[in-house]
Structure formats: C-alpha cells, structure tokens
C-alpha cells in the first residue's frame, strides 16, 4: 500500500532527538529558541513563537486581540475544523464565506460582503499551500469605509485600528507571494508542524508575528510566550537558575509551549526544507500534472502563477462533472489498487458541529462543488518516481472505470 503522507524520519532526525534526550533538557529550552530564530530568518517576519499546535497558536492570537462574545470572525467554509473551532472557543461567531473555484482560497468578493461592524478578524487559509491574495485582503481592511465600520473594544484593537488578518498557514510554510515567504504575508500567520504537514515536529506549530507599527512584535512575543505557559512569568529553564524558584502568574493562560524534543525534529526539517523537501515535492506535483494534463476529465490544481508559488502541500485533483457518490466510488477503487488518497476538505457546514449551529452547505456552492469532485493524491519525501506512476495509473484506471 502506498501511504498518503508518512513523515521523513531518518538518522539525522533520530540523532538530533537523541542529542536532546541526552542533554538532560527535554522541554522548552535552547533548541526551541534556536528553532524560532531560524524560522524568523527563513520567513522574514518580525518575531516567531513556537507552540505545540497550529490550533493553540490561532486561538491565543484571537484571545490576545480580544476576540470575544458578540464579535465575528470571517473564515472560508472550505478548511479544516480547527480554523473555526478556535473562534467558537472564544465565544465569537465564525462567519463562513465561499471559496474560489480555481485555487480553493477564500473568495474576496464574499469576504467583502461578509464584513460588518462586528468583524474583528479575517482568517484566510492558504489551502493546499497556495497563498491567498494578501494585497487585496489588506486593501480591503484598510479601505476608509471598512476602517470606519471597525469598532475597537480592546487596547490591541485600538492600536491596529482595523480588522486583523490572521492567516491559517497550516499548509504554506515555504510558499511565496510576490517574492515574500508565507509567515510574513499577514499581520500574524500560524504554521502547523503536525505529522502530516510539509515540515513536521510530530505535533507543533509556530506563531509568525508580523504586526505593523506601532506594535512592538518582540513585546507581543514575550506576552504570548507567557500566555502559552499558564501565564507564568518564568519558564522552566529560567526557574532552574540558582535560587530563582519564585514566579508569578500574570494571566490565566494556556499550555501551548513547544518542547526541545519537538524542536530538534524541526531544526533538521528546516535545515533541508527549501532545497530538498520543497524541491522534491514540486517534482511530484509536476509528474502528476504532466500525466493528468492529457485527460479531458482532469481539473489540475494551480500551484504557480506570476506572483504566487505553492508549498506543494496537497495535490488537489478534481474530476470534471462527477457527483460526490462517483468521487467516493473512484476513491474506493484507488484504495483497492493499494494507493492511499484523501479528501481536503469536507466543507465545515457538512460537519455536525457546524450543521447543528445552523450553517447550511447550500450557502457555499463552490466549496461543495470543490469538495465533491476532489481527490488529494500522496505527496511526500521519498515517494519514488515509480510509486508516482503507480498512483497515476491507479487514478486513471479508477476514474475511467467509474465514468465508463
Ligand atoms: C492541520 C491543520 C490545522 C491544525 O493544525 P494542528 O497543528 O494539528 O493544530 C489547522 N488548519 C488547517 C487548514 C490544517 O490543515
């Protein structure tokens, strides 16, 4: 069976983890701080906080910005549940909007229509690794009429004076928009380093701060550092200093810190990410695209345009004109040929937690159409040319069997 997305665990990763285990320091410490510095250097943002998931990262940023009951946060209907769950946790309302038919990203026109005087944050998702249209999003939130509508309730909201753009960049580390890297495209972006993501630390994530003046990103970093460690003003390493046992708890915080064991995997992953991992993934994408371009039924994902470059995270193939049942049948047949595939994503209104809140899939026709014709193909480091051929043959055979 060809797996969908196994992690790349080789001797280098194992050695680095063992080095941490033997060092006597396994939780947040020097390797986590080094990982943060290297992420900042790679992405070009202003400050980086490593955390233990993308989800906790998104949530603490919403809470730092003061998102609460009565507020609205705009999200695409086509994303993973975490993007909207964190809004619900804060007591605010996820306002879902439809997506684009071409690149799966959030539809700007729909975002514009969804803005009200309650909107505090827009959360674009770089789906599959393709960056959203950030210039246009910023143009939108900086427009005079939209700024006038904005009702600041907290110090941070007054300071920004407009809607915050918080990117769910779970897929897009390494992606580029107009020559700039994901991580510095929004006010704040949050990566995921979950086991199936392009760059993994088993579980993990990073809050990429890139707030404009007059914010002091270092100060926000220090606040979030405390906030993701119970609100405690000293971390475990600082407390080991001679006689430095006393600490204070400044706010009732979260537990979201990254450990040095995780960071050691991340350091190795990052050191070979741009030239090795991304290059490898792009080659797989190109092989799929070359093969499927010959078939009239294939709708290929866009992963490179004049001003955008994907991180090649999910190869979202679509089959033209099929129903959800036909797609499911095709997937079954692909699995029967010993190839693992997936679907990214079930639009949120299809899931009980959101359906029960009154969201209706009928309101998101593009998201539904993207979903019911979508099949995500395996892309991972080590997937050989021969295996890619096996995947391609399995897909072509299965589609033709079902369409016959
Ligand atoms: C994986 C994923 C997340 C959640 O990431 P975690 O690190 O597991 O919290 C959020 N959003 C999207 C779009 C994802 O794919």
């Amino acid at each position: 069976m060809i797996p969908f997305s196994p992690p790349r665990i080789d001797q280098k990763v194992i050695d680095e983890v063992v080095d941490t285990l033997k060092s006597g320091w396994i939780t947040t410490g020097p390797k986590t701080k080094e990982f943060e510095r290297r992420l900042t250097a790679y992405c070009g943002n202003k400050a980086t906080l490593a955390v233990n998931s993308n989800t906790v990262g998104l949530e603490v940023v919403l809470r730092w910005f003061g998102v609460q009951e009565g507020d609205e946060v705009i999200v695409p209907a086509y994303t993973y549940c975490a993007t909207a769950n964190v809004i619900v946790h804060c007591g605010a309302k996820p306002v879902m909007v439809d997506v684009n038919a071409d690149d799966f990203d959030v539809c700007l026109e729909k975002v514009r229509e969804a803005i009200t005087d309650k909107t505090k944050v827009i959360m674009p998702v770089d789906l599959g690794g393709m960056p959203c249209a950030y210039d246009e999003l910023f143009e939108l939130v900086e427009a005079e009429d939209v700024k006038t509508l904005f009702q600041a309730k907290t110090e941070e909201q007054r300071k920004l004076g407009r809607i915050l753009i918080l990117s769910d960049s779970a897929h897009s580390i390494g992606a580029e928009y107009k020559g700039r890297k994901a991580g510095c495209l929004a006010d704040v972006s949050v990566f995921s380093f979950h086991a199936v993501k392009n760059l993994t630390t088993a579980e993990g994530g990073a809050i990429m701060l890139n707030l404009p003046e007059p914010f002091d990103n270092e100060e926000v970093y220090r606040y979030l550092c405390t906030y993701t460690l119970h609100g405690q003003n000293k971390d475990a390493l600082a407390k080991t200093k001679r006689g430095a046992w006393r600490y204070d708890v400044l706010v009732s915080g979260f537990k979201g810190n990254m450990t040095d064991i995780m960071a050691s995997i991340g350091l190795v992953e990052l050191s070979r990410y741009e030239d090795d991992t991304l290059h490898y993934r792009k080659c797989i994408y190109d092989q799929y695209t070359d093969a499927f371009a010959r078939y009239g039924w294939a709708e290929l994902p866009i992963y490179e345009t004049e001003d955008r470059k994907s991180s090649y995270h999910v190869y979202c193939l679509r089959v033209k004109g099929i129903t959800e049942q036909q797609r499911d049948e095709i997937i079954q047949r692909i699995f029967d040929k010993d190839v693992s595939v997936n679907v990214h994503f079930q639009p949120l209104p299809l899931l009980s937690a959101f359906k029960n809140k009154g969201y209706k899939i009928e309101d998101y026709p593009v998201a539904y159409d993207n979903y019911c014709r979508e099949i995500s193909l395996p892309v991972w480091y080590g997937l050989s040319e021969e295996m890619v051929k096996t995947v391609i043959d399995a897909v072509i055979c299965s589609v033709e069997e079902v369409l016959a």
Side-chain angles (χ1 to χ4, degrees):
M1 185 71 134
I2 294 179
F4 183 70
S5 179
R8 179 185 181 189
I9 304 298
D10 59 7
Q11 199 56 44
K12 243 183 132 175
V13 171
I14 292 166
D15 289 346
E16 193 68 35
V17 170
V18 168
D19 177 70
T20 304
L21 292 172
K22 287 183 171 167
S23 76
W25 195 264
I26 56 175
T27 184
T28 314
K31 290 207 185 176
T32 303
K33 298 301 150 188
E34 180 61 20
F35 186 43
E36 290 175 347
R37 276 190 293 275
R38 295 216 195 154
L39 282 167
T40 307
Y42 177 56
C43 299
N45 60 314
K46 294 171 183 158
T48 301
L49 178 69
V51 286
N52 65 27
S53 72
N54 156 288
T55 307
V56 82
L58 292 173
E59 177 153 354
V60 298
V61 175
L62 289 179
R63 289 185 184 267
W64 162 79
F65 198 57
V67 172
Q68 56 190 285
E69 210 177 317
D71 293 338
E72 295 178 352
V73 177
I74 298 175
V75 283
Y78 199 79
T79 181
Y80 185 58
C81 62
T83 324
N85 281 348
V86 294
I87 304 165
V88 175
H89 297 170
C90 294
K93 182 181 169 197
V95 174
M96 294 182 195
V97 298
D98 212 348
V99 295
N100 298 326
D102 56 359
D103 62 12
F104 295 82
D105 284 344
V106 72
C107 172
L108 277 168
E109 203 44 57
K110 297 285 176 194
V111 170
R112 189 175 289 122
E113 287 168 18
I115 293 174
T116 72
D117 60 355
K118 294 179 178 157
T119 310
K120 292 289 179 289
V121 182
I122 298 172
M123 293 172 73
V125 180
D126 297 337
L127 206 116
M130 195 61 171
C132 296
Y134 286 99
D135 279 0
E136 286 81 355
L137 280 168
F138 274 103
E139 223 170 89
L140 187 55
V141 297
E142 279 163 2
E144 264 330 302
D145 54 332
V146 175
K147 276 177 93 162
T148 313
L149 205 57
F150 183 72
Q151 307 275 327
K153 285 199 245 173
T154 66
E155 183 56 37
E156 284 69 26
Q157 292 172 11
R158 267 185 290 278
K159 230 167 161 177
L160 189 64
R162 60 159 170 81
I163 296 169
L164 178 82
I165 299 188
L166 168 59
S167 168
D168 180 346
S169 298
H171 299 177
S172 58
I173 183 170
E176 285 178 26
Y177 176 76
K178 300 190 176 169
R180 289 180 295 135
K181 288 253 182 248
C184 70
L185 304 176
D187 293 313
V188 184
S189 309
V190 183
F191 292 144
S192 170
F193 305 136
H194 178 268
V196 303
K197 299 303 197 305
N198 274 18
L199 188 157
T200 187
T201 58
E203 295 282 355
I207 301 173
M208 311 300 286
L209 297 170
N210 205 40
L211 292 157
E213 299 275 334
F215 285 99
D216 177 349
N217 285 268
E218 278 302 324
E219 188 188 320
V220 177
Y221 167 85
R222 284 192 298 275
Y223 174 79
L224 291 176
C225 218
T226 302
Y227 194 50
T228 50
L229 198 75
H230 308 289
Q232 190 175 297
N233 67 345
K234 263 182 209 168
D235 66 18
L237 193 62
K239 281 168 64 190
T240 61
K241 303 253 165 67
R242 274 167 191 270
W245 61 272
R246 193 184 291 278
Y247 60 87
D248 191 14
V249 172
L250 307 173
V251 285
S252 292
F254 279 71
K255 187 66 176 9
N257 57 307
M258 177 172 277
T259 70
D260 272 19
I261 297 178
M262 298 153 89
S264 44
I265 307 175
L267 281 168
V268 175
E269 287 268 272
L270 186 58
S271 72
R272 60 194 184 188
Y273 188 68
E274 178 79 19
D275 297 331
D276 198 9
T277 308
L278 276 186
H279 176 75
Y280 199 103
R281 300 184 75 95
K282 180 184 182 324
C283 291
I284 296 172
Y285 263 59
D286 288 342
Q287 281 178 76
Y288 284 145
T289 288
D290 287 348
F292 295 123
R294 279 177 260 139
Y295 293 84
W297 48 258
E299 191 172 337
L300 307 170
I302 300 172
Y303 53 96
E304 236 163 52
T305 67
E306 206 176 305
D307 53 18
R308 293 185 294 161
K309 224 161 55 184
S310 178
S311 62
Y312 322 106
H313 179 55
V314 185
Y315 192 92
C316 299
L317 177 71
R318 277 172 292 180
V319 180
K320 288 179 192 161
I322 57 168
T323 63
E324 187 178 353
Q325 287 74 15
Q326 285 175 309
R327 189 273 315 274
D328 294 351
E329 175 68 12
I330 293 167
I331 288 184
Q332 191 52 54
R333 285 168 186 264
I334 296 172
F335 269 99
D336 290 344
K337 296 172 180 66
D338 284 335
V339 171
S340 307
V341 290
N342 217 319
V343 174
H344 291 85
F345 288 97
Q346 296 183 76
L348 303 182
L350 288 179
L351 307 172
S352 301
F354 300 102
K355 212 189 305 180
N356 294 342
K357 284 185 162 55
Y359 296 94
K360 291 189 191 68
I361 192 62
E362 295 75 33
D363 296 333
Y364 311 95
V366 182
Y368 183 71
D369 181 62
N370 282 348
Y371 151 76
C372 62
R373 299 186 297 107
E374 200 270 351
I375 303 170
S376 311
L377 306 184
V379 180
W380 44 274
Y381 194 92
L383 184 73
S384 67
E385 223 178 293
E386 203 166 313
M387 286 191 269
V388 171
K389 283 203 186 93
T390 306
V391 175
I392 291 167
D393 290 343
V395 171
I396 292 169
C397 279
S398 305
V399 170
E400 292 186 339
E401 282 164 21
V402 170
L403 293 186

